[in-house]
Amino acid sequence: MENHSSQSPSYNQNNNSVPPFLQPQPFPIYESEENDWSFSQLLSVVRRRALVIAGVTITLTTVVFVSLILNREPPVYEGNFRLLVEPVNDDTKVVDIVKDPNVGKSGLDYESQIQVLKSPELMGKIVKQLQAKYPDITYDTLIKNITISRFAETKIIEVRYRSQDPNQIEFVLNLISKNYQNYSEEKRQTQLRQGIQFVERQLPFIQNRVDQIQKELQTFRQKYDFVDPGAQSEQVVNQTTSLSEQRQLIDGKIAQVRANLSFLQEKNGKLAVLNDAILYQQLLNQVRQLEVQIATESTRLQDNNPTIETLKEKRASLLPLLKNEEERFLGTKIAEVTTQLQTLEVQSQELAKVEEKIELQRKQWPILARQYTELQRKLQVTTESLNRFLSTRENLQIQISQAELGWQLLEAPSKPKLPISDSSIKRYLIPGLIASIALGIGVALLLEKLDNTYHSVEVLKGKVKLPLLGNIPFEKQVESIQDHIPTRKLSITRILNPILKGVPGLAHQVHSNYSAKFLEALRVLYTNVQFLSSERPIASIIISSAMPGDGKSTIAFHLAQVATGMGQRVLLVDADLRQPKIHTLSGLNNLWGLSNLISANLPTSEVIRQLPSMNQLSVITSGPVPSDPTKLLSSEKMKQLMIDFHNAFDLVIYDSPAILGLADTSLLAPYTDGILLVVKIDKTDSSMIQQTLDHLKFSRMNALGMVSNGQKSNINNY
């Protein structure tokens, strides 16, 4: 079945010319996934995870339904009656007598009254009467099933009772309503009268307490003249300020008088004061005149002349008088100043005493004010307490007059006909179903969040900015063949019949069960690859992927057949020396191949073979798996072989291993026009794609574009 190199194109092994290759293009940027989901994306997730959502919903709904069936309880009935416990209109004149602002409001403490109605003392008698017909009723069960409440903001008390027996409900409510009406006529008036008696006993004590505190307050005011604390406090402050100003003025005068006294005791001061002494000045003038006369006469007379002696005797008689007058006048002035100083000092001392007294009073003022405030507070508290007791007595008297009317039964108990909860299934099944659906959607969203694969070509194009050269749809025939690849051989005639119908001489050679979408996608891929370079056609490419199992070998095999059907001389090389698949896809044996061609001195024609039904397509299988594939692919022999392949064929397609973790593709890429990266929808991990692109960028390998594989959604066709 195998055809060897006799049908292959002419092959010159001695051609050592290095063909030109495409230069690496600027590498695209990988965009990280965003967390914002649109409504359309949410619907896409729901459609994609419909089985998960349906499974979770059905499972949880079944669990809820079974649980409700197993725990279903008998239907519960409820009955009620209503009592008017206060008059609707206050028509009695008793209310008009008591001028209380609270009379218009409800006089009944409903919360306390409800607790009394539910108390063991009142309910005990009712329980004993009920046990005569229903022995299983106890106080605890009765309180558990009964509800007593005020009906909205009205003067009505509503009593509800629940049970599984409608007859029991009617009997219990009738008995309770009768007992409550009897209670309102008997016990309630008794309790109100007891309250009035208690108030009457307390009123004299409280009144005496008010009188005693009033007397204490009166005595305090009389003792300390404590009439108006605010005005008196202000008066004390004003007095203190006035006394302080007076004392400062007197202290200034004392300082001035002391300065005058010191001035009088000095020579200049004495002379200044003596200028105002009339008698002293007259005597001084006489003495000075005598001295002038003596000096005048001394110029012409002798010192022993009687005239001069007479003048000297007069002067001598006047000097003692002048001295005495000086001492007398100065003594008088000093005595006046001293007396003035003493007077001012006495005034200052008196003001200081008054200030000290007022200061002592001011210091005692907070204590007195606190005592006064405490007495007023006690008086206010006792007065308020007295007023409350008086108001309580009046209210109790009003309630007694109202209680004489008794409670009125507005709505009598009746036998309930319909249950309030006949089935727990209707109540909980729909919420359980909604919760199950919500949980199913939540599980689907969680799985979607944990899923790092691409689910559509649109998402792939949006996230990876690499040219999308082809979109290969999901094909059941390919999937079936891949599942049975070890035991089946692929017939080329089942693939290319639609493609080659228009090629003369070839249409009769092929038959295909593949869909037109699948084959047309391969043709579009081949055309896009040829259009990548405007200067010259692509002559050699590597088809690889980020992860194993993305379908790179299948894409390479089918692309080679399409290119051959287009009239190209195509060589398909299985460069995956680790997990080769081309020989199984093509139905050829793998006894010898590329590994033999590199390691041994075999001629190239020995390993190039043609497909049984398409001898225009040349194939080199991988050959036996070597122990060190990297060593073979990096050898000079492999580089020369790739150059020879390029020169001998129109298109050389290399099927290489996955890029991540292996150096095989990196060794082959520099000697080709570039790499086609296969990405499988719903399988390839986005993080692996990012790592692959980072590796290609770091290695400066030329990435021609990418091919999406396995798109299951409908692709528009012409």
Side-chain angles (χ1 to χ4, degrees):
M1 295 293 294
E2 299 180 7
N3 297 325
H4 295 280
S5 59
S6 59
Q7 297 178 354
S8 63
S10 60
Y11 191 94
N12 186 5
Q13 296 184 3
N14 297 323
N15 190 349
N16 296 326
S17 62
V18 179
F21 298 106
L22 293 180
Q23 298 297 321
Q25 300 299 319
F27 212 79
I29 299 176
Y30 179 86
E31 291 189 356
S32 60
E33 296 186 7
E34 299 177 354
N35 293 327
D36 297 335
W37 284 8
S38 63
F39 181 73
S40 60
Q41 290 175 328
L42 182 61
L43 289 180
S44 177
V45 172
V46 172
R47 287 195 300 267
R48 188 163 51 252
R49 307 287 182 177
L51 292 178
V52 175
I53 297 174
V56 173
T57 302
I58 293 173
T59 302
L60 292 181
T61 304
T62 303
V63 171
V64 172
F65 183 77
V66 172
S67 178
L68 293 176
I69 291 296
L70 296 177
N71 299 321
R72 186 177 182 182
E73 298 179 354
V76 177
Y77 297 85
E78 183 180 71
N80 71 299
F81 68 86
R82 294 175 182 175
L83 291 170
L84 179 64
V85 296
E86 290 184 287
V88 177
N89 297 318
D90 294 332
D91 295 331
T92 59
K93 296 301 182 181
V94 179
V95 177
D96 297 333
I97 297 174
V98 182
K99 301 302 181 180
D100 188 354
N102 296 323
V103 167
K105 301 180 181 179
S106 175
L108 181 63
D109 183 0
Y110 282 86
E111 293 297 327
S112 301
Q113 185 63 66
I114 290 172
Q115 295 301 319
V116 171
L117 295 178
K118 296 171 66 175
S119 63
E121 181 180 357
L122 185 57
M123 282 292 185
K125 180 180 178 181
I126 299 175
V127 170
K128 291 180 179 179
Q129 297 175 5
L130 291 174
Q131 288 177 346
K133 186 174 182 180
Y134 298 99
D136 57 336
I137 295 181
T138 62
Y139 173 76
D140 294 334
T141 58
L142 182 62
I143 293 299
K144 180 180 179 181
N145 296 318
I146 198 171
T147 302
I148 305 176
S149 61
R150 183 181 182 182
F151 186 71
E153 296 297 326
T154 63
K155 299 178 180 181
I156 299 172
I157 288 182
E158 183 180 44
V159 181
R160 293 179 172 272
Y161 182 73
R162 290 186 178 185
S163 176
Q164 298 174 1
D165 185 1
N167 296 321
Q168 182 185 24
I169 293 176
E170 183 180 16
F171 180 79
V172 170
L173 291 179
N174 279 323
L175 189 59
I176 292 176
S177 64
K178 293 178 181 178
N179 279 272
Y180 280 179
Q181 292 181 75
N182 294 334
Y183 159 78
S184 67
E185 297 174 0
E186 299 174 2
K187 300 292 183 181
R188 190 160 173 264
Q189 287 189 358
T190 302
Q191 292 176 354
L192 292 174
R193 289 191 178 93
Q194 290 176 352
I196 290 178
Q197 293 175 2
F198 173 77
V199 171
E200 294 290 348
R201 290 195 300 268
Q202 296 296 323
L203 279 176
F205 171 76
I206 297 176
Q207 185 64 56
N208 293 335
R209 180 62 177 163
V210 172
D211 296 341
Q212 181 182 356
I213 295 176
Q214 287 178 343
K215 290 180 181 179
E216 292 179 1
L217 186 60
Q218 181 180 0
T219 303
F220 183 84
R221 286 177 173 176
Q222 292 175 351
K223 180 178 179 180
Y224 297 105
D225 193 18
F226 216 76
V227 179
D228 187 356
Q232 287 179 302
S233 176
E234 184 178 358
Q235 181 180 1
V236 169
V237 172
N238 293 335
Q239 289 179 356
T240 302
T241 303
S242 176
L243 290 174
S244 177
E245 292 176 354
Q246 293 179 13
R247 189 166 60 82
Q248 289 178 0
L249 180 62
I250 291 175
D251 289 344
K253 291 181 179 180
I254 290 174
Q256 185 177 1
V257 171
R258 286 178 178 174
N260 293 336
L261 181 61
S262 298
F263 184 71
L264 287 175
Q265 293 175 352
E266 296 176 357
K267 182 178 179 180
N268 293 331
K270 293 179 180 180
L271 293 176
V273 171
L274 291 175
N275 288 331
D276 298 330
I278 299 175
L279 181 59
Y280 176 80
Q281 291 296 328
Q282 292 176 355
L283 292 175
L284 181 61
N285 289 332
Q286 292 178 8
V287 171
R288 288 177 179 175
Q289 290 176 359
L290 290 174
E291 288 179 348
V292 171
Q293 291 177 2
I294 291 172
T296 303
E297 294 298 331
S298 296
T299 57
R300 65 185 187 84
L301 297 177
Q302 296 293 326
D303 292 338
N304 54 4
N305 188 283
T307 302
I308 293 174
E309 290 180 352
T310 302
L311 291 173
K312 288 183 178 180
E313 288 177 358
K314 288 182 180 180
R315 187 186 64 177
S317 63
L318 288 175
L319 288 176
L321 295 175
L322 182 63
K323 183 66 176 178
N324 292 335
E325 181 62 20
E326 178 184 354
E327 293 177 353
R328 184 192 67 78
F329 189 80
L330 288 175
T332 302
K333 286 294 183 181
I334 292 173
E336 290 177 356
V337 174
T338 302
T339 302
Q340 184 180 4
L341 178 61
Q342 291 175 353
T343 302
L344 291 173
E345 288 178 348
V346 170
Q347 291 179 357
S348 178
Q349 292 174 0
E350 291 297 327
L351 287 175
K353 291 179 180 179
V354 174
E355 278 186 330
E356 183 178 359
K357 181 179 179 181
I358 293 177
E359 180 66 19
L360 180 61
Q361 182 180 359
R362 188 182 66 81
K363 290 181 179 180
Q364 292 179 347
W365 188 261
I367 301 175
L368 297 176
R370 186 175 69 252
Q371 294 176 357
Y372 179 78
T373 304
E374 182 66 19
L375 286 174
Q376 280 191 326
R377 187 186 64 80
K378 290 181 180 180
L379 179 60
Q380 181 181 1
V381 170
T382 52
T383 303
E384 290 177 354
S385 179
L386 178 61
N387 292 334
R388 282 197 303 270
F389 270 84
L390 292 173
S391 177
T392 301
R393 182 179 63 180
E394 294 169 354
N395 288 333
L396 289 174
Q397 291 173 348
I398 294 173
Q399 291 182 28
I400 288 176
S401 64
Q402 294 174 348
E404 293 177 353
L405 301 175
W407 290 354
Q408 301 178 22
L409 187 63
L410 298 180
E411 184 178 337
S414 61
K415 181 180 178 180
K417 298 180 180 180
L418 298 176
I420 59 173
S421 59
D422 58 342
S423 176
S424 59
I425 296 179
K426 294 181 180 179
R427 180 184 301 179
Y428 298 110
L429 185 58
I430 294 179
L433 177 61
I434 295 174
S436 300
I437 295 174
L439 184 59
I441 295 176
V443 172
L445 294 178
L446 178 61
L447 293 176
E448 189 72 16
K449 194 69 175 177
L450 298 177
D451 190 356
N452 291 329
T453 61
Y454 299 104
H455 301 291
S456 66
V457 177
E458 290 75 15
V459 175
L460 177 62
K461 290 169 61 178
K463 302 303 179 183
V464 183
K465 298 305 180 181
L466 196 67
L468 182 65
L469 302 179
N471 180 18
I472 309 302
F474 175 79
E475 182 65 28
K476 293 183 179 180
Q477 296 293 331
V478 174
E479 197 74 15
S480 175
I481 291 172
Q482 290 179 347
D483 292 341
H484 299 84
I485 243 174
T487 58
R488 285 185 62 178
K489 293 185 177 180
L490 181 63
S491 175
I492 190 63
T493 59
R494 300 179 59 194
I495 299 176
L496 297 178
N497 188 44
I499 299 177
L500 303 180
K501 283 182 179 180
V503 181
L506 292 178
H508 65 280
Q509 298 181 11
V510 292
H511 302 279
S512 177
N513 292 326
Y514 289 99
S515 65
K517 294 179 181 179
F518 177 75
L519 299 173
E520 186 64 26
L522 290 171
R523 184 184 301 176
V524 171
L525 172 60
Y526 170 75
T527 305
N528 290 338
V529 170
Q530 293 303 312
F531 285 161
L532 285 176
S533 176
S534 59
E535 298 178 357
R536 61 180 183 83
I538 299 296
S540 60
I541 59 174
I542 292 177
I543 298 182
S544 184
S545 60
M547 300 169 56
D550 287 347
K552 61 176 183 59
S553 300
T554 304
I555 298 296
F557 179 67
H558 292 160
L559 181 62
Q561 296 180 73
V562 169
T564 302
M566 293 294 184
Q568 298 290 310
R569 294 178 301 156
V570 181
L571 174 63
L572 176 61
V573 181
D574 191 351
D576 189 349
L577 302 183
R578 302 174 187 271
Q579 296 180 359
K581 292 184 177 61
I582 296 298
H583 64 282
T584 56
L585 291 171
S586 61
L588 302 173
N589 65 62
N590 198 27
L591 298 178
W592 58 88
L594 183 62
S595 60
N596 305 103
L597 189 60
I598 300 173
S599 60
N601 293 324
L602 292 177
T604 306
S605 59
E606 293 291 331
V607 297
I608 294 181
R609 289 172 286 177
Q610 283 73 36
L611 292 182
S613 300
M614 182 176 280
N615 52 17
Q616 295 85 359
L617 175 60
S618 300
V619 179
I620 297 179
T621 61
S622 65
V625 176
S627 59
D628 190 357
T630 305
K631 181 179 180 181
L632 295 181
L633 296 177
S634 62
S635 64
E636 293 296 329
K637 180 69 175 292
M638 182 62 190
K639 299 176 183 177
Q640 185 60 45
L641 287 173
M642 295 180 70
I643 295 173
D644 295 340
F645 295 159
H646 184 89
N647 294 329
F649 292 90
D650 297 330
L651 177 62
V652 183
I653 300 176
Y654 295 93
D655 177 24
S656 69
I659 296 175
L660 286 182
L662 299 175
D664 300 18
T665 305
S666 302
L667 296 173
L668 301 177
Y671 304 97
T672 64
D673 289 328
I675 300 174
L676 282 183
L677 186 65
V678 178
V679 180
K680 192 164 186 179
I681 303 299
D682 294 327
K683 181 182 181 301
T684 305
D685 195 309
S686 60
S687 62
M688 298 298 180
I689 292 292
Q690 182 177 6
Q691 295 178 29
T692 302
L693 296 179
D694 293 340
H695 175 71
L696 294 178
K697 182 179 180 181
F698 178 77
S699 302
R700 302 187 63 81
M701 289 185 283
N702 186 23
L704 300 176
M706 60 181 175
V707 181
S708 67
N709 184 26
Q711 175 74 30
K712 295 183 180 181
S713 60
N714 292 330
I715 301 176
N716 293 331
N717 54 1
Y718 180 70

